[in-house]
Amino acid sequence: MKKLVLSTLLVLQAVFVFAQQGPALKGKVIDAKSQKPLQNVVAVIQSNNQSALTDVEGNFMFQTLPSGEQALVIKTAGYNTQTLLLEPATGETIDLGTIMLEEDITTEQQLSLVTITENDLGDDNSGSESTSGLLQATRDTYQQAAAFNWGQSRFRIRGLDNEYGTTMINGIVMNKLYDGRPQWSNWGGLNDATRNQEFTMGSAPSDYTFGSALGTQEINTRASFYRPGSRISMSGTNTNYSWRTMGTFASGMDKKGWAYVISASRRWAQEGYFEGTDYAANSLFASIEKKFNENHSLNLTAIYAQNSRGKSSPNTQEVNDLMGVKYNSYWGWQNGKKRNSRDKDIEEPMVMLSHYWKISDKTNLNTNVAFQTGTIGNSRLDFQLGNNPDPTYYKNLPSYFSNLGGYTESQLTNIGNTFRANSQIDWNAMYIANQNSAFAGRSVYVLYEDRTDDNQFNANSILNSSLSDHIVLNAGINVRKLRSQNHQNLLDLMGGEYFQDIDPFYTGNASQSNLNNPNRQIRENQTYGYNYLLHALTFDGFTQFKFTYDKVDFYLAQNFSRTEYQREGLYRNGIYADNSFGKGKSITFENFGFKGGLTYKLNGKNYFDFNGLYQTKAPSLRNTFSNARLNNVITPDIQSENIASADASYILRAPKFKARLTGFYTKIQDATEISFFYGEGIGSDDGGDEDTFVSEIVTGIDKQNMGLELGLEYSITSTIKATAAASYGQYIFSDNAKLKTNDDALAATGANSLTDFGTVYIKNYHQAGMPQTAASFGLEYRDPNFWWVGANVNYLANSYVDFANILRTDNFSIDSATGDNYAGATPETVRAILKQEKFDAFTLVNLTGGKSWRISKANRNTVGFFASVNNLFDIQYKTGGFEQSRKATFPDLQADQANGTPSFGSKYFYGYGRTFFVNFYINF
């Protein structure tokens, strides 16, 4: 009996103690301006990554806390992150009371960055759109500096192209199979609808995918994740567009389990920053969710983003000196309006269906299916039996006549004046030429587009399961199937009745685009020139285990992928009659990857973080077929890339001071690049002066990227904050590569079209198109009355021109006819003439500021504005450029440069001068 009574008392005491035990930590999060509670705010205890979400009333709680000093991070999209220092006592409940989060008004600038900097480096030459879009979800000081302080100069984090990052919407990969890069314009203008994002840096673990060396970005459009309310904004800028208007409404989850979000925007400009760059974009977004019960929910998302913009031309230094850096040769006057011949039009709507299944309290499964269709078109002029309509055609410039010799300074000055007077496309002259064609009704000049019509199906499942208190499993599978039609589409006959579907540079069968239907007369909106399909089927899967302990967190992940490509010709090309029509051979790549890392927690504020990755990566569709427009040939020596990456960081997170210092290293091997150009002294011309059009195939490319990153943030007072960031990198080609060319003119004669130029000597040349050194310092003042102002100074240096590969082969210095070096082509003179051009360093000053007001205490509505001025002192700087490959031998290039103004010098892209961005908004 005594034992029974004693046992009963002990049990009752335990039950009583348990019943009395409350949360170890609790708090409530509200919006500082509206005083509304904020739902789905993440509270994280840094030392063990334990997290909690706020409920509909803004409350969060933790049942247990680690011992010792702890840092609690409160964060959510669109608000400034708060870090609170805790010193819990054993058994004590910490009540933080009300925590007010201030809206991060800089998000407007950050979310607008992709649009502002999307003026690409030229689809016909090299480069890609800015990687800044991958950074728009970040909060780290260094990453913010990289995104919207250095992004305007085309800075790339760790020197990596955005094909080495993974961008997803609801777990669906948005990177294009064609070139591996995301097409930001597919959701451009939908800033409010794409605010819910998660970002991981480098090879750090992601819950959604294995990723790669640059990082991952996940955009979540689940309707119930949006804060209820409406937002309307109006913006003005002088960058790519002039005006933007946007409206968004989120319902929140109602009692019947329904939630929906709608958003729409329009951006437009008659002319952007550069001459003749028109802009028009319309975007629509809708997301609707039905919650059936606590375990199952369905969400349907639809995105439509149409974008049309006029491109700006890269120009030689000679043209810039004559016309200024805003000059754009792609446009001309027509009926009193500027008309651009090089428009890029994108219209690729997508629809996604997502199923969320809460299998248990510890396991969730998210399954998504998506379909995307639409077109991308890049327009340009085509002509037959007429003069080149490009006003910057080399025979129109003073340098051409100067290099011929025999012209006086006065005559050369007059030639320059003549160019200035005729510096734009003459649309009227082309219409007149078509009306007076030697063949009645046949257009000499037409406007066409290189067009891609894609249909892509995606499906994936992502599993997240807490296997124990210390182990989390992430796993996923993803399937993508693409059918891509690529063709020339005739847009405008420009007064004529038809255009002949032939290549006038060849005769007989070689002149025919399609031997199955020769000598066609093409009308508007008809296909001609080339027409083929690309088929792609990919499968990839990954597993990831994350382990969390008091002092150490670590993770291990692995993936496998299978990629299959095939070309199917719809035309039987006259040059490649036996290898252009029908399905070619398919090619399959099987790849794998491993990555892992650990975080050592010295205490609640100091951390050491290490990450490592090794993976193989299939080449893109673009690089797999060396001359896809005309034949089914698979790129010789094509293989998967090998990528190895590692980084190590020291991280300090304290309430007033935050710092991160990272060292990184990335090695990419066996990459492939395909390019197209006219060149002299190569291919079919046997070293002569006639030019030939070739596709250049460079394989076995090895790149090495290494450097340091630093980010510092210090709250001097409760209202003044100082930030500093720096990046120092060395991004080089770590070994030589191999180069071949494919010459259609050789193939037209029945000869082997492939020429092996052997080694291309590019070891230790710098990767181009980005600053490899950057530094930033900023000050920001935030007033308690919800206005703020900030300024930052940015230094950017060590950016290089993109060099011409063909000039770095033996063909450049060795005469193929004799086997001896060209006269004067000594190692010293060759090295001097081929020295890679380094751009000047420059400093940019940016100003930002904003203010918001509560306009109704009853409804807690707010109105505000954000404004920024970039490049305050209107500094002129180059963001990139490329050498021309036309003069491909030493004597030709030397002769072209003899007078100091080459006809085929490098072409350059320039950054914006002084620009502004102003945004007014109302939340209600």
Side-chain angles (χ1 to χ4, degrees):
M1 181 63 69
K2 288 181 180 180
K3 291 182 179 180
L4 179 60
V5 172
L6 181 59
S7 299
T8 303
L9 289 174
L10 288 173
V11 170
L12 288 174
Q13 184 180 20
V15 171
F16 179 78
V17 170
F18 180 80
Q20 296 298 314
Q21 184 179 5
L25 174 67
K26 63 181 180 179
K28 181 174 183 176
V29 182
I30 66 172
D31 183 294
K33 291 192 300 293
S34 68
Q35 302 295 302
K36 292 181 179 178
L38 296 177
Q39 187 179 5
N40 291 328
V41 175
V42 181
V44 181
I45 299 171
Q46 288 188 157
S47 65
N48 63 0
N49 285 329
Q50 186 180 352
S51 63
L53 287 176
T54 57
D55 59 20
V56 292
E57 299 297 327
N59 296 313
F60 69 90
M61 63 179 62
F62 293 89
Q63 294 294 339
T64 60
L65 277 178
S67 59
E69 185 180 73
Q70 301 296 324
L72 177 72
V73 178
I74 310 292
K75 59 183 180 180
T76 189
Y79 289 83
N80 292 316
T81 298
Q82 279 203 36
T83 302
L84 306 175
L85 200 60
L86 309 176
E87 295 184 3
T90 304
E92 178 187 12
T93 296
I94 301 177
D95 187 350
L96 298 176
T98 300
I99 302 168
M100 293 188 291
L101 288 189
E102 294 183 2
E103 181 184 5
D104 183 6
I105 203 167
T106 62
T107 305
E108 269 312 316
Q109 181 183 9
Q110 212 167 5
L111 289 170
S112 301
L113 179 71
V114 176
T115 299
I116 291 174
T117 62
E118 70 181 0
N119 192 43
D120 59 18
L121 294 182
D123 300 289
D124 308 319
N125 299 297
S126 63
S128 65
E129 293 185 354
S130 167
T131 62
S132 56
L134 185 63
L135 309 174
Q136 58 180 298
T138 67
R139 297 271 71 86
D140 177 272
T141 301
Y142 169 82
Q143 294 159 359
Q144 287 198 60
F148 58 88
N149 291 336
W150 306 336
Q152 57 194 313
S153 64
R154 303 203 169 277
F155 178 84
R156 296 179 188 172
I157 282 188
R158 301 183 183 179
L160 294 172
D161 188 275
N162 52 26
E163 68 173 297
Y164 296 102
T166 304
T167 299
M168 295 169 289
I169 299 180
N170 299 332
I172 297 292
V173 176
M174 291 289 104
N175 298 59
K176 291 286 189 180
L177 286 167
Y178 178 71
D179 60 6
R181 302 180 178 110
Q183 181 61 253
W184 307 115
S185 296
N186 284 163
W187 56 93
L190 297 170
N191 302 358
D192 290 339
T194 57
R195 287 177 183 269
N196 297 325
Q197 303 185 11
E198 294 181 41
F199 177 82
T200 59
M201 183 74 168
S203 58
S206 167
D207 291 348
Y208 307 94
T209 185
F210 182 82
S212 190
L214 179 58
T216 61
Q217 177 188 22
E218 158 67 7
I219 302 172
N220 192 320
T221 65
R222 186 174 180 178
S224 60
F225 277 31
Y226 292 80
R227 293 193 181 88
S230 300
R231 179 182 175 91
I232 297 174
S233 64
M234 181 72 184
S235 305
T237 182
N238 64 334
T239 53
N240 269 8
Y241 60 85
S242 298
W243 303 102
R244 184 193 72 187
T245 182
M246 181 165 55
T248 303
F249 172 75
S251 69
M253 185 66 73
D254 65 18
K255 295 180 180 179
K256 295 183 178 180
W258 289 95
Y260 67 91
V261 181
I262 55 174
S263 185
S265 78
R266 173 166 172 76
R267 295 164 288 160
W268 70 98
Q270 289 187 338
E271 184 173 64
Y273 182 84
F274 295 99
E275 296 176 0
T277 53
D278 54 302
Y279 195 101
N282 300 290
S283 304
L284 297 171
F285 170 91
S287 179
I288 184 169
E289 179 179 355
K290 171 58 178 175
K291 184 178 181 180
F292 295 99
N293 51 49
E294 291 301 318
N295 298 325
H296 293 278
S297 185
L298 273 180
N299 194 95
L300 181 68
T301 297
I303 299 175
Y304 170 82
Q306 171 272 331
N307 184 294
S308 177
R309 59 182 174 87
K311 299 179 186 178
S312 60
S313 62
N315 300 309
T316 62
Q317 191 61 51
E318 177 186 18
V319 172
N320 289 325
D321 291 341
L322 288 168
M323 301 300 300
V325 299
K326 284 190 176 183
Y327 169 69
N328 179 12
S329 66
Y330 292 160
W331 68 271
W333 293 101
Q334 185 178 13
N335 299 325
K337 295 182 179 180
K338 291 181 178 181
R339 182 181 181 185
N340 197 314
S341 65
R342 298 279 189 102
D343 275 342
K344 183 171 186 176
D345 297 287
I346 301 174
E347 190 171 352
E348 295 185 302
M350 66 183 88
V351 61
M352 301 178 179
L353 182 65
S354 302
H355 175 242
Y356 302 93
W357 180 15
K358 184 179 180 181
I359 299 174
S360 69
D361 289 339
K362 295 186 176 182
T363 302
N364 294 282
L365 182 66
N366 173 211
T367 301
N368 308 279
V369 292
F371 180 73
Q372 183 175 20
T373 187
T375 65
I376 298 178
N378 292 278
S379 68
R380 62 190 304 164
L381 292 167
D382 195 1
F383 60 98
Q384 296 175 356
L385 308 176
N387 294 324
N388 192 324
D390 179 5
T392 61
Y393 182 56
Y394 73 100
K395 290 184 178 181
N396 298 333
L397 295 168
S399 60
Y400 171 72
F401 299 93
S402 176
N403 290 331
L404 284 177
Y407 288 84
T408 66
E409 286 298 322
S410 176
Q411 289 174 315
L412 293 174
T413 299
N414 289 335
I415 293 170
N417 291 334
T418 300
F419 169 75
R420 290 190 184 93
N422 300 277
S423 57
Q424 302 304 149
I425 290 175
D426 193 339
W427 290 98
N428 291 333
M430 289 187 287
Y431 275 78
I432 293 171
N434 287 345
Q435 293 168 2
N436 298 321
S437 171
F439 303 93
R442 178 177 171 181
S443 289
V444 178
Y445 298 94
V446 296
L447 185 72
Y448 78 95
E449 65 178 344
D450 291 308
R451 179 164 153 173
T452 301
D453 297 342
D454 280 358
N455 290 292
Q456 181 169 292
F457 171 80
N458 286 34
N460 73 2
S461 283
I462 302 168
L463 178 73
N464 181 286
S465 181
S466 296
L467 303 181
S468 71
D469 291 341
H470 300 288
I471 305 174
V472 173
L473 166 66
N474 304 114
I477 56 172
N478 182 62
V479 178
R480 289 192 285 174
K481 186 175 183 180
L482 171 69
R483 180 187 185 274
S484 175
Q485 182 180 3
N486 299 262
H487 57 107
Q488 283 183 239
N489 179 51
L490 201 151
L491 296 173
D492 190 351
L493 285 166
M494 297 167 59
E497 296 177 8
Y498 70 94
F499 191 63
Q500 197 75 31
D501 186 16
I502 62 169
D503 188 334
F505 294 100
Y506 301 106
T507 58
N509 284 346
S511 68
Q512 297 296 326
S513 298
N514 185 10
L515 290 174
N516 294 338
N517 192 1
N519 297 311
R520 285 196 311 150
Q521 295 184 355
I522 307 303
R523 268 68 180 183
E524 291 178 1
N525 295 317
Q526 289 187 345
T527 296
Y528 78 104
Y530 65 87
N531 190 9
Y532 63 94
L533 300 175
L534 290 176
H535 302 281
L537 178 62
T538 70
F539 163 86
D540 64 85
F542 85 102
T543 57
Q544 177 176 272
F545 295 89
K546 295 190 293 186
F547 302 83
T548 304
Y549 297 96
D550 290 341
K551 279 293 185 180
V552 176
D553 298 341
F554 64 95
Y555 68 93
L556 297 169
Q558 46 279 314
N559 87 314
F560 172 81
S561 64
R562 186 181 188 277
T563 303
E564 183 177 356
Y565 297 145
Q566 186 178 41
R567 180 191 183 273
E568 180 182 356
L570 302 180
Y571 283 180
R572 186 183 301 277
N573 182 267
I575 300 175
Y576 302 98
D578 297 329
N579 192 25
S580 55
F581 182 71
K583 291 185 177 181
K585 293 181 179 179
S586 64
I587 184 170
T588 300
F589 302 93
E590 292 187 345
N591 296 281
F592 64 90
F594 299 96
K595 71 177 183 179
L598 65 88
T599 300
Y600 176 72
K601 295 167 275 192
L602 190 63
N603 52 42
K605 295 183 293 185
N606 295 275
Y607 305 83
F608 294 95
D609 186 67
F610 306 90
N611 298 283
L613 170 144
Y614 176 80
Q615 67 176 159
T616 61
K617 174 178 173 288
S620 65
L621 259 175
R622 182 187 190 278
N623 290 329
T624 301
F625 300 96
S626 58
N627 195 12
R629 290 185 176 184
L630 301 186
N631 61 46
N632 288 330
V633 173
I634 294 171
T635 300
D637 306 321
I638 191 74
Q639 57 184 308
S640 294
E641 295 181 16
N642 289 274
I643 304 169
S645 178
D647 62 67
S649 301
Y650 164 69
I651 303 166
L652 170 64
R653 293 172 182 164
K656 285 192 173 185
F657 185 55
K658 297 178 178 64
R660 177 171 68 86
L661 175 64
T662 299
F664 62 87
Y665 174 88
T666 302
K667 181 87 168 185
I668 299 171
Q669 294 178 296
D670 297 322
T672 300
E673 291 182 0
I674 307 290
S675 57
F676 300 86
F677 57 83
Y678 283 97
E680 298 174 7
I682 56 177
S684 60
D685 60 356
D686 296 324
D689 290 333
E690 293 185 7
D691 53 318
T692 182
F693 187 75
V694 300
S695 60
E696 179 186 79
I697 306 160
V698 184
T699 56
I701 300 172
D702 292 352
K703 303 176 184 179
Q704 177 181 285
N705 295 26
M706 59 190 300
L708 295 171
E709 300 167 343
L710 175 67
L712 304 172
E713 178 184 312
Y714 180 65
S715 297
I716 301 172
T717 69
S718 60
T719 57
I720 301 174
K721 181 175 68 175
T723 59
S727 177
Y728 176 78
Q730 184 191 66
Y731 313 140
I732 61 171
F733 293 89
S734 56
D735 206 347
N736 296 321
K738 299 294 183 181
L739 187 149
K740 294 182 174 69
T741 61
N742 185 86
D743 187 347
D744 298 335
L746 283 174
T749 66
N752 181 12
S753 63
L754 206 63
T755 302
D756 189 348
F757 285 86
T759 301
V760 51
Y761 301 100
I762 59 175
K763 184 176 180 179
N764 293 327
Y765 272 82
H766 293 270
Q767 297 172 42
M770 58 192 160
Q772 300 192 17
T773 299
S776 177
F777 176 75
L779 286 174
E780 178 185 295
Y781 173 76
R782 287 183 176 270
D783 192 89
N785 292 317
F786 306 114
W787 65 268
W788 68 277
V789 64
N792 59 76
V793 181
N794 306 279
Y795 172 80
L796 298 123
N798 295 336
S799 186
Y800 295 85
V801 77
D802 195 0
F803 55 84
N805 288 295
I806 193 68
L807 274 61
R808 274 78 185 173
T809 64
D810 289 333
N811 177 82
F812 179 75
S813 57
I814 298 176
D815 188 340
S816 59
T818 65
D820 297 326
N821 279 19
Y822 289 108
T826 66
E828 293 75 20
T829 57
V830 169
R831 190 180 303 113
I833 202 170
L834 295 181
K835 183 180 179 181
Q836 188 176 15
E837 181 184 355
K838 180 180 178 180
F839 298 146
D840 293 336
F842 54 93
T843 301
L844 304 178
V845 176
N846 302 330
L847 301 178
T848 55
K851 168 70 174 165
S852 61
W853 298 266
R854 288 178 58 186
I855 57 176
S856 171
K857 290 186 177 181
N859 297 320
R860 299 172 182 173
N861 299 334
T862 60
V863 64
F865 77 91
F866 165 84
S868 68
V869 179
N870 281 356
N871 193 0
L872 178 65
F873 298 108
D874 201 22
I875 301 299
Q876 188 179 107
Y877 61 95
K878 295 173 181 175
T879 60
F882 58 93
E883 294 177 350
Q884 296 194 68
S885 300
R886 184 69 167 257
K887 299 296 184 179
T889 64
F890 177 81
D892 285 349
L893 184 62
Q894 189 179 50
D896 190 49
Q897 296 181 355
N899 291 322
T901 307
S903 297
F904 297 98
S906 296
K907 290 192 172 184
Y908 302 109
F909 301 92
Y910 283 82
Y912 296 128
R914 184 186 301 111
T915 60
F916 69 87
F917 179 81
V918 180
N919 181 63
F920 296 90
Y921 64 90
I922 180 171
N923 296 325
F924 58 95

